[in-house]
Amino acid sequence: MLHFAQRLDSLRANVFADMDRAKAAARQAGRDIIDLSLGSSDLATADFILHEIERSLWDSQTHQYLLFHGTKAFREAAAHWYQRRYRIEVDPETEVLPLVGSQEGTAHLPLALLNPGDYALLLDPGYPSHYGGVALAGGRIHPLPLRAEREFLPVFSEIPPQVCDRARMMVLSYPHNPTTATASITFFEEALTFCDKYNIALVHDFPYGDLVFEGDRPPSILQADVEKRRSIEFFTLSKSYNMGGFRVGYAIGNPELILALRQVKAAVDFNQYQGILNGAIAALNSDISHDGSHDGKSPVQSTVDCFRQRRDVFIEAMQEIGWAVPRPEATMYVWAKLPQPWSENSIGFCDALVQQTGVAASPGVGFGESGEGYVRFALVRSPQVLAEAVQRISVFLRG
C-alpha cells in the first residue's frame, strides 16, 4: 500500500466536503436541493467586467505565463482602491501581491511564518482554510473561542502566556464568517497592541468588507496599523463583485510579509490568466466610473442591496415559524442557534434537514468546536426560494 504524509490526517474533516456528500445522497434519493450551505454568490458578474475579460481573450499577448512584474497594472489598481477607500498610502511594488483568491493567501502564509510546533491564534469558529494552512505548515493551533455574550470577539487576556511566547501569527476576520459579527477600529487597535507585545504577525481575512447592511463601513486592519509594522490583509473580488469562479484576490500590507508570501507563491504557481486580472482592474475602478450599472448604482451597492433584501425575507420568514434568529449587519449569512433537540448536534441537524427536505446548510461545529449548537445559512438564492426553504424547515421542525 502507498504511504501518505501524516499531515493529511488533520485535513480529512471539511465542512464543505461533508455537506457535499450529504447533498449528493439527498439528490440521489430524489430530493430537490435548495443549497444554502456554501457561500458562493449566485449573482452574475457585471457585464462590463466580462467584456474586459472577453476583449483580453483575443489579445495573444495575454496568453503567456504571467509573472509578478506582469501584474503591475492590477497591483496599482488594488493600491489605488485602498487609498480611495481607507485613505491609506500603499506601495504597489512592495505592499501588494495578487492571489488566486484570498484563500490562497490564508492557506499559504503559515508556510512562510511557522516552524513546526509554532502556534497560530485562530478564531473558533472560523473559516476552514485558516486551520488547513496551519496544519500543512506543521504549526499548532490555539483556538480563540467566540461567544455570543462577547459579541463574537476573542478575549486576548485569556491566551496562556506560554502560548503567546510561541505564537507567530494571529488570524482575524471581520465581518466574520460564520457568525456575521463585526469589529470596531478599537478592537483592531487592541489586537495590534497584543501582537506588538509578543512580536506576532497580525493577519486579517477581509472578504466581506463591502457586504454591510447597516452602520459604518467596517475598518481595515491597516487603519489600525497605518505604518504596516506587522499586519497583512487579504481581499477577494469573489463577494463584492460576484467573481468567485474567477479566483482573484490580493494581499496588502507589511512589505516583509508580502515578500515572504510571494516566495511561497513562486514555488507553487505563477498567476491567473491576464484577462481575469484585466476584468478585476475594471471591477476595482468601478466605484469611480460606475461603468456597466443600469440603475446608477455601483455594482457593489447593487449586490449589497440584493443581499439585504434576502436577509430581511429570510429573517422574517424564520420569525414567522417561531425560530428567532439575530438580524445580521453584514456578510451573506445567517448564524442561527439551534433549537431543541438539536442544540448540541449541528451535524445531525444538517444531515437530517437535507435528507428530509432538500435544504442544505452548514453545521456550526464544522467551523470549530465553539460553533457547536449553531447552523449557518448562506443567502445565495432568490427571496422566493429562501421563503420556500424556510417553509420546508418549518415542516421539518414540526415533524
Side-chain angles (χ1 to χ4, degrees):
M1 294 183 62
L2 295 173
H3 296 279
F4 293 93
Q6 293 178 351
R7 67 176 62 91
L8 286 182
D9 294 341
S10 60
L11 303 179
R12 298 192 190 283
N14 181 285
V15 60
F16 303 123
D18 292 344
M19 283 311 303
D20 198 47
R21 286 188 287 269
K23 286 181 288 187
R27 207 172 272 115
Q28 189 171 9
R31 294 290 182 192
D32 172 35
I33 304 298
I34 299 179
D35 191 356
L36 310 182
S37 66
L38 189 63
S40 178
S41 175
D42 61 319
L43 301 180
T45 305
D47 287 349
F48 73 93
I49 298 174
L50 298 178
H51 290 156
E52 190 62 33
I53 296 172
E54 181 184 27
R55 185 193 63 77
S56 301
L57 289 171
W58 301 104
D59 179 1
S60 62
Q61 296 301 309
T62 69
H63 297 173
Q64 289 81 40
Y65 287 129
L66 183 63
L67 302 181
F68 176 78
H69 292 291
T71 68
K72 181 179 181 179
F74 173 77
R75 288 183 279 113
E76 289 177 340
H80 293 158
W81 188 92
Y82 258 78
Q83 289 164 359
R84 294 193 306 270
R85 178 68 61 90
Y86 301 111
R87 302 294 187 265
I88 296 169
E89 291 297 319
V90 177
D91 183 349
E93 286 300 314
T94 62
E95 296 179 341
V96 182
L97 182 68
L99 297 171
V100 184
S102 62
Q103 184 167 321
E104 179 199 5
T106 58
H108 284 166
L109 186 62
L111 293 171
L113 291 175
L114 301 179
N115 289 314
D118 288 342
Y119 275 101
L121 309 176
L122 305 184
L123 300 181
D124 175 18
Y127 192 65
S129 77
H130 300 169
Y131 290 76
V134 175
L136 288 174
R140 301 176 68 180
I141 295 169
H142 181 81
L144 305 178
L146 306 182
R147 306 295 185 193
E149 58 270 21
R150 299 171 180 170
E151 298 182 309
F152 296 110
L153 297 173
V155 179
F156 303 130
S157 61
E158 294 180 350
I159 304 172
Q162 63 271 25
V163 173
C164 296
D165 290 338
R166 296 191 60 185
R168 300 294 178 263
M169 63 186 296
M170 173 192 287
V171 182
L172 303 176
S173 184
Y174 291 96
H176 184 242
N177 176 16
T179 70
T180 80
T182 57
S184 68
I185 189 65
T186 300
F187 168 78
F188 285 134
E189 289 169 347
E190 292 171 356
L192 180 63
T193 298
F194 175 87
C195 290
D196 278 338
K197 179 178 180 180
Y198 293 102
N199 194 24
I200 298 170
L202 181 52
V203 182
H204 187 224
D205 196 9
F206 200 33
Y208 301 99
D210 284 319
L211 292 189
V212 179
F213 310 123
E214 280 89 29
D216 296 332
R217 175 178 288 154
S220 160
I221 197 67
L222 302 182
Q223 290 177 288
D225 188 6
V226 176
E227 297 175 351
K228 308 182 190 75
R229 297 194 310 273
R230 59 181 64 255
S231 301
I232 186 170
E233 189 157 74
F234 295 105
F235 184 78
T236 176
L237 281 77
S238 297
K239 313 300 182 184
S240 300
Y241 302 97
N242 304 307
M243 294 182 68
F246 293 97
R247 310 308 304 131
V248 57
Y250 56 88
I252 192 164
N254 175 270
E256 292 179 292
L257 292 173
I258 292 291
L259 178 59
L261 183 56
R262 180 180 166 187
Q263 290 174 305
V264 173
K265 180 178 174 64
V268 176
D269 62 34
F270 293 129
N271 293 283
Q272 57 276 81
Y273 170 55
Q274 177 70 65
I276 291 175
L277 293 188
N278 290 342
I281 292 169
L284 292 171
N285 289 334
S286 64
D287 61 338
I288 301 174
S289 63
H290 294 185
D291 286 345
S293 153
H294 299 296
D295 56 6
K297 297 178 182 177
S298 72
V300 173
Q301 188 58 53
S302 296
T303 295
V304 171
D305 291 346
C306 177
F307 279 106
R308 181 190 291 111
Q309 180 192 21
R310 293 177 178 193
R311 176 204 63 176
D312 292 344
V313 167
F314 189 85
I315 293 294
E316 290 164 12
M318 292 284 274
Q319 290 173 343
E320 288 176 3
I321 69 171
W323 190 346
V325 296
R327 187 180 299 267
E329 295 180 357
T331 77
M332 55 172 62
Y333 307 111
V334 169
W335 184 243
K337 195 168 182 61
L338 285 166
Q340 294 291 350
W342 305 100
S343 60
E344 295 300 325
N345 186 11
S346 58
I347 292 178
F349 172 85
C350 289
D351 188 64
L353 181 68
V354 73
Q355 297 302 329
Q356 295 181 34
T357 72
V359 175
S362 292
V365 74
F367 299 93
E369 290 184 8
S370 295
E372 184 57 283
Y374 289 85
V375 58
R376 191 196 75 176
F377 297 100
L379 304 175
V380 293
R381 303 295 295 272
S382 70
Q384 294 78 12
V385 175
L386 290 173
E388 168 64 22
V390 175
Q391 288 306 306
R392 295 189 193 183
I393 292 169
S394 177
V395 172
F396 173 79
L397 293 177
R398 291 199 305 267

